[in-house]
Amino acid sequence: MMSLATPQSILERFRRVARNHGIPDPQRHLDATGEIEWLRACLNGRVYRAAENWMLPNWALRDSRRSSKVPSECDSLDNDQRRNWTTIGGVGSRGYAISDSKGLLTVNPECGSIEFWLLAPTGIIFPSTIADEGPRLTLLSPEDQVYEWRMDLGPLEYSRLVYHSSEGGSEAIYNEVQVRNRSLERAKFTFYAVIRPISVNGVEPIETAEFSAPKRAVYTNGILAMIMNRDPKFVYVTTANNKNLPSTIADLAPRSDSAINAPDGLATVVLRFDIILKPAGTERFFFVSPLVPLTKKDPLPALPMDQRARDSTVQTWFEFMGSTLSGEFPDRNLSQLLSQSKALLAMQVRSSVLPQQMRIPDSSWNDKAHLLSALCRGNCLSLAREVSLDLVRGIQADTLTDVSAAAPAVWTILHVFEHLQDMSYLRTVRPVLDELLPAISEKARSYLSSAPIEVPKEEQQVVQQKEGVTEWTGQQPNEEESTPRVPIAHANEISASYLGPRLPSEDRTPQFRRLTDFAVASWVVEALRSAANAYDRLGQTEDAKSLAALVAECTAAVQKSSKDFTEMASRRDTKNVLPDDEVLDGIILLGTLALLRSKSIDTGMLECVQQEIAQKWTTILRMVKLPGVTREHSVHLTLLMAHYYAFN
């Protein structure tokens, strides 16, 4: 999902709407994202507890907390259970939509969500209120990524198809409504396309809504929410808490509203379509929501409003699936799971790796590496090359001053090359390598020139048992630990242009105090290893040899330091090698080594970390469970551990 607004402007909207609902400001400091989620939970509690069933998203309808009053800073309600969401996008698309199983579709949160209601003889059918055994949004095939919500009403067959399509640089999510008359008589049918101020997360405030008849377009919060290929019969603009809405829209009385201002953030637009079908006839309607936000000043996107859009996306997905990694398992569900995993990766990778404004945050390079590596290992090489080059174009050396970001960046860029084996790609990325490698090499040299790890005084105390009495004594480092490390002799011969200046002896400090230090060291070693191979391919033999020598020395130093670290930790507490505040760091370290397929860390240390996590922080179902960590984050951490087990 993409947004035109900044987090701060979205926060201001939530604050305005919350105040109009009598919700106080939070009593603790939160960042913009945290405060938005806090205010949303408060709005959910305030709005949904007073709502009728048809007004609610499916998860809120099922949530028993809605009928209870739980004392809290605000009477909050959030979706922490029904997260059976579907991602809808294209191969390498710039964004994607989210839908729940009932078809509540969010393309751009600023525009709320899109839903379709049906008029039956018994009244209006609201998909969110239908039982689980009823119609659901279903993927027709992992090979084409078209979803369908289908229902039969007497002789009529109603089908809503949801998919991504693009044309001329414009991308959009399509809702294609098909109504087929299976009888040999004329038939009437009515359905509603609805823009609602809700999503799978809860309330999505809509303060303004407008229908433009000349454009056949709906704008919410000043953003284009939807365009359509046919004129609606009637237009109703109201608020989501209007209890008379079902009876009003079922009435045949003509009504054409155009706009509404809703300080409570609950603006709603209902478009009614009445159709008469010929015997055995079929009618199609197309509702298109651009993925890239557009305002009223922007021209409408030049997108096909017919079946060509679906044909195009099906062809694109079939070509992608045919050119990438495939597998057949005895269980057909596993084969489909592999295909769907590739599809989800392909449709989310660009928006995850490349933020909307192409600003590369240093802290996310670890995740970028995982995503691009998954693309490469899934043989999605064309997409990996495209995304990687976009990353390189967005890199500025001054934004990657921290080696903990620069080293993963270099490794990621060169990891793509190792799979592509495309020299034109390597020559394109070389200027970035030349900019980032000196700092990485300097960091590697610091591992060689640092003093040995000394046990702090507070950690030198060990327990000695004498005749049943516990006695605390100080233990001094042994002779080997007291001897300063001497850099390997030929380190002086390595090219200074890549290694940077030698650190003065008085500036040498221990480099490994926490597990995160070892994760950074692993990135440094493997980035330099990849760089040595790359320079060799470019014909820079001497530079390649120098880097290879540095890698060998650095690996030995990191191995030695990891052994020292384990010994130091065991002295601190023989039953707790891994401190509680470093458990998360330990999992990330194991996941990093599995990704890099690196042997730079002592196996004894890794075994201690792995065993302690498994014994203390893993459930009976092998799920990692840490205090204060959400279920989604726990799944992510569990997958990191699984990756390490597979690697090891």
Side-chain angles (χ1 to χ4, degrees), residues 24 47 64 182 186 249 281 291 311 327 359 374 377 403 490 492:
V47 174
S64 60
R182 293 176 297 193
R186 286 159 54 101
I249 63 176
L291 271 172
D311 293 341
R359 296 178 61 186
R377 291 169 182 171
V403 171
H490 67 268
N492 294 326

Side-chain angles (χ1 to χ4, degrees), residues 336-364:
Q336 291 187 331
L337 182 61
L338 174 61
S339 296
Q340 186 61 10
S341 297
K342 286 192 303 181
L344 292 173
L345 177 63
M347 67 179 66
Q348 296 184 58
V349 65
R350 185 179 296 278
S351 56
S352 299
V353 170
L354 299 166
Q356 185 180 353
Q357 298 178 353
M358 293 292 288
R359 296 178 61 186
I360 312 299
D362 294 352
S363 61
S364 67

Side-chain angles (χ1 to χ4, degrees), residues 10 41 55 101 139 176 192 194 258 299 302 360 413 434 484 486 488 516 531 550 562-563 573 643-644:
I10 295 174
M55 301 177 180
S101 62
L139 179 64
E176 178 183 342
Y192 307 89
V194 190
S258 59
I360 312 299
I413 293 166
D434 291 342
V486 179
I488 298 176
T516 51
L550 178 58
S562 59
K563 290 180 181 179
D573 184 350
H643 192 187
Y644 175 75

Side-chain angles (χ1 to χ4, degrees), residues 11 39 85 171 195 238 365 401 473 526 546 558 563 638:
L11 174 59
L39 291 172
W85 305 342
E171 298 185 39
I195 306 291
T238 182
W365 268 104
T401 55
T473 63
E526 299 308 323
S546 298
V558 174
K563 290 180 181 179
T638 302

Side-chain angles (χ1 to χ4, degrees), residues 127-178:
S128 63
T129 63
I130 298 176
D132 280 348
E133 58 270 18
R136 300 168 60 89
L137 192 67
T138 305
L139 179 64
L140 295 180
S141 168
E143 306 295 325
D144 59 27
Q145 293 300 307
V146 175
Y147 288 81
E148 181 183 40
W149 193 97
R150 180 174 176 173
M151 189 174 196
D152 292 339
L153 295 167
L156 300 180
E157 179 185 285
Y158 169 87
S159 174
R160 172 193 173 196
L161 301 176
V162 186
Y163 50 88
H164 166 280
S165 192
S166 61
E167 180 74 25
S170 297
E171 298 185 39
I173 300 298
Y174 279 69
N175 283 275
E176 178 183 342
V177 173
Q178 299 180 7

Side-chain angles (χ1 to χ4, degrees), residues 236 242 244-253 255 272:
Y236 305 87
N242 179 358
N244 297 321
L245 182 59
S247 59
T248 301
I249 63 176
D251 192 351
L252 292 177
R255 176 174 172 177
R272 173 171 169 157

